[in-house]
Amino acid sequence: MLKAAFPGSFDPPTSGHINIIQRAASIFEELVVVIAENKQKKYLFSAEERASMISELIKDKKNVSVTICDSLIVDYLKKEKIKLLLRGVRGLEDFSYEFELSMMNRTLDPDIETIFMTTDPEYFVIRSSSIKELASFNGNLSGMVPPLVAKALKNKYTNM
Ligand code: ADP
């Protein structure tokens, strides 16, 4: 069974993330989107908020599920008996970071195979950190995040 996990912060989920999820859903028999909950990191959206946004956005994909993970990803994968770890790459900078991360994960668990999926060109410049910055200045986010995420960002920044 080709089952893969797609881990990340998704703070917030962007059109780039959703594109990777949709493409991966047609390759793997099962895909689990794993929302990272790292106590050392400061997130704009809680893990539950991030999970609920992604669940809503992928609800038509019957082979995709969403979960929250506050442990090391390799431990989660071992527990769930998943061997494929999917990561998206936008360019060389992402690749060099992702490559190191995959080496680290392979050192921790040699059974894990990291698979990289390149971004679609239209999502090349989209990253969650720039989206948050843009949203904090009330910038136009259309095309970069799904409308429900744009709305959630607006709510966050107006109530801050
Ligand atoms: P992290 O928390 O590890 O920095 P994110 O939560 O932002 O990563 O993203 C999760 C995964 O999605 C990572 O593999 C990241 O490279 C990938 N990703 C983020 N934005 C895009 C995009 N626009 N196109 C393709 N992949 C992306």
Side-chain angles (χ1 to χ4, degrees), residues 4-34:
F6 180 43
S9 302
F10 307 102
D11 187 38
T14 68
S15 303
H17 293 131
I18 300 302
N19 174 259
I20 296 279
I21 295 171
Q22 282 169 341
R23 286 158 61 205
S26 63
I27 296 173
F28 302 106
E29 287 163 271
E30 220 182 307
L31 182 73
V32 188
V33 181
V34 184

Side-chain angles (χ1 to χ4, degrees), residues 96-127:
S96 90
Y97 168 74
E98 294 291 343
F99 185 81
E100 273 187 32
L101 206 60
S102 74
M103 289 299 109
M104 166 92 84
N105 286 333
R106 243 184 119 69
T107 309
L108 293 170
D109 184 347
D111 284 342
I112 304 292
E113 298 289 355
T114 302
I115 294 170
F116 299 116
M117 188 178 267
T118 53
T119 186
D120 258 354
E122 61 186 293
Y123 307 115
F124 178 58
V125 294
I126 304 178
R127 59 185 67 241

Side-chain angles (χ1 to χ4, degrees), residues 1-94:
M1 169 100 157
L2 263 188
K3 182 171 180 179
F6 180 43
S9 302
F10 307 102
D11 187 38
T14 68
S15 303
H17 293 131
I18 300 302
N19 174 259
I20 296 279
I21 295 171
Q22 282 169 341
R23 286 158 61 205
S26 63
I27 296 173
F28 302 106
E29 287 163 271
E30 220 182 307
L31 182 73
V32 188
V33 181
V34 184
I35 317 276
E37 172 70 318
N38 179 346
K39 300 274 180 259
Q40 314 292 326
K41 271 197 185 175
K42 219 176 153 333
Y43 300 100
L44 179 64
F45 292 97
S46 69
E48 289 71 24
E49 288 172 320
R50 288 175 276 144
S52 118
M53 284 189 276
I54 299 196
S55 300
E56 179 61 27
L57 294 166
I58 51 98
K59 64 176 187 229
D60 60 319
K61 299 275 174 227
K62 298 297 168 231
N63 60 337
V64 182
S65 57
V66 182
T67 193
I68 295 170
C69 168
D70 64 0
S71 67
L72 266 182
I73 188 68
V74 288
D75 293 340
Y76 170 81
L77 296 173
K78 197 177 208 112
K79 184 166 67 84
E80 298 297 323
K81 299 189 172 54
I82 303 175
K83 289 186 186 313
L84 305 178
L85 194 163
L86 174 69
R87 294 289 285 178
V89 282
R90 279 157 294 205
L92 274 185
E93 206 182 303
D94 268 2

